[in-house]
Amino acid sequence: MCGRFAFFSAHEATLKLFGLPEGTPAIEPHYNLAPTRFVPTVRVEHDGVRRLAMLYWGLVPHWAKEKAIGARLINARAETLSEKPSFRTAYRKRRCLVLASGYYEWQALPSGKQPWFIRRPDGAPFAMAGLWESWIERPGEAPLESCAIITTEAGGRIAEIHHRVPAVLGPTHYATWLDPKLTDTAVLAPLLQGPPDGELEPLAVSRRVNNARNEGPELLEPAREAG
């Protein structure tokens, strides 16, 4: 699963990589983004332009009776997207990129759970495949826009840490994934793959990240022990 991640990449690099227009506001750096926080995403708006959207992490389906369901829907399994009532409509109609500089995963070791920060070797940001929904609690209120991160089977070095990994989209697939007119899941499903072995690398980091209230670049300091 993906239960915590970070985004702290440079603004200009973010605009260029994700095709965002000039004037897009800079994203405040966060080193410990947790469920029920608002996280940076990119989606195509009604005018056909890619735009940054800060979405609540924990998908709340439009038919939900209460917001609390979102805390249980932070991830969506790629293998069952077309079957699950919570995700199948968003899969066809409301897709987004969830922007990350890296994500955290925990490995069970004799000394306790060791957090790993999984990132690109060059430090560049990347896109995790996401879904989004709009939910209104009461008529007349502003909608809550929320998202979930799609996960798939891990492989290579990452599988030694955890058996699931976010579905990572390459830049050549952004346009297809974000196209609101594309509803054919036979075209979408092949895009939902884990990163090729070596594209992301794990770094054992401070256990301070275990507490979701902790923030700052010091969370990425190498762990003194990882075994």
Side-chain angles (χ1 to χ4, degrees):
M1 65 176 294
C2 177
R4 211 82 64 78
F5 70 100
F7 187 84
F8 48 81
S9 298
H11 182 57
E12 290 303 322
T14 299
L15 296 185
K16 182 176 180 180
L17 179 60
F18 300 110
L20 292 167
E22 292 294 333
T24 297
I27 303 168
E28 182 180 353
H30 286 286
Y31 294 82
N32 201 1
L33 287 164
T36 74
R37 300 277 299 278
F38 283 83
V39 299
T41 73
V42 169
R43 59 187 180 181
V44 171
E45 301 290 358
H46 297 299
D47 58 4
V49 176
R50 294 185 194 179
R51 298 194 189 280
L52 174 70
M54 300 298 293
L55 303 183
Y56 179 87
W57 185 15
L59 189 137
V60 183
H62 69 89
W63 44 257
K65 294 182 178 179
E66 56 183 22
K67 177 182 175 181
I69 192 175
R72 304 193 300 273
L73 299 176
I74 65 169
N75 291 159
R77 294 175 67 92
E79 300 88 339
T80 57
L81 287 175
S82 295
E83 305 165 17
K84 298 294 184 181
S86 299
F87 303 126
R88 62 191 178 196
T89 302
Y91 181 32
R92 292 178 59 246
K93 298 182 178 181
R94 289 178 288 277
R95 298 178 299 273
C96 62
L97 309 177
V98 182
L99 311 188
S101 301
Y103 74 97
Y104 298 97
E105 199 52 83
W106 280 260
Q107 183 181 27
L109 297 174
S111 58
K113 285 190 174 182
Q114 172 60 51
W116 295 80
F117 185 64
I118 300 171
R119 63 181 184 181
R120 284 178 54 94
D122 61 5
F126 58 92
M128 302 182 287
L131 309 173
W132 69 274
E133 272 284 10
S134 181
W135 175 76
I136 298 176
E137 184 171 15
R138 298 180 186 86
E141 291 188 351
L144 172 71
E145 294 186 324
S146 61
C147 66
I149 295 169
I150 299 173
T151 67
T152 188
E153 287 287 333
R157 174 70 180 92
I158 306 302
E160 299 174 15
I161 298 172
H162 198 274
H163 67 285
R164 302 294 293 179
V165 65
V168 174
L169 298 171
T172 58
H173 294 147
Y174 294 169
T176 301
W177 182 253
L178 293 175
D179 184 354
K181 296 179 182 178
L182 176 60
T183 60
D184 186 349
T185 58
V187 175
L188 297 167
L191 305 182
L192 299 175
Q193 306 294 325
D197 199 21
E199 183 171 313
L200 298 182
E201 64 175 13
L203 172 68
V205 295
S206 168
R207 295 189 184 189
R208 294 188 68 249
V209 76
N210 294 356
N211 186 334
R213 292 189 296 271
N214 290 337
E215 254 291 354
E218 63 273 13
L219 300 182
L220 302 184
E221 292 177 358
R224 295 180 182 178
E225 298 181 1

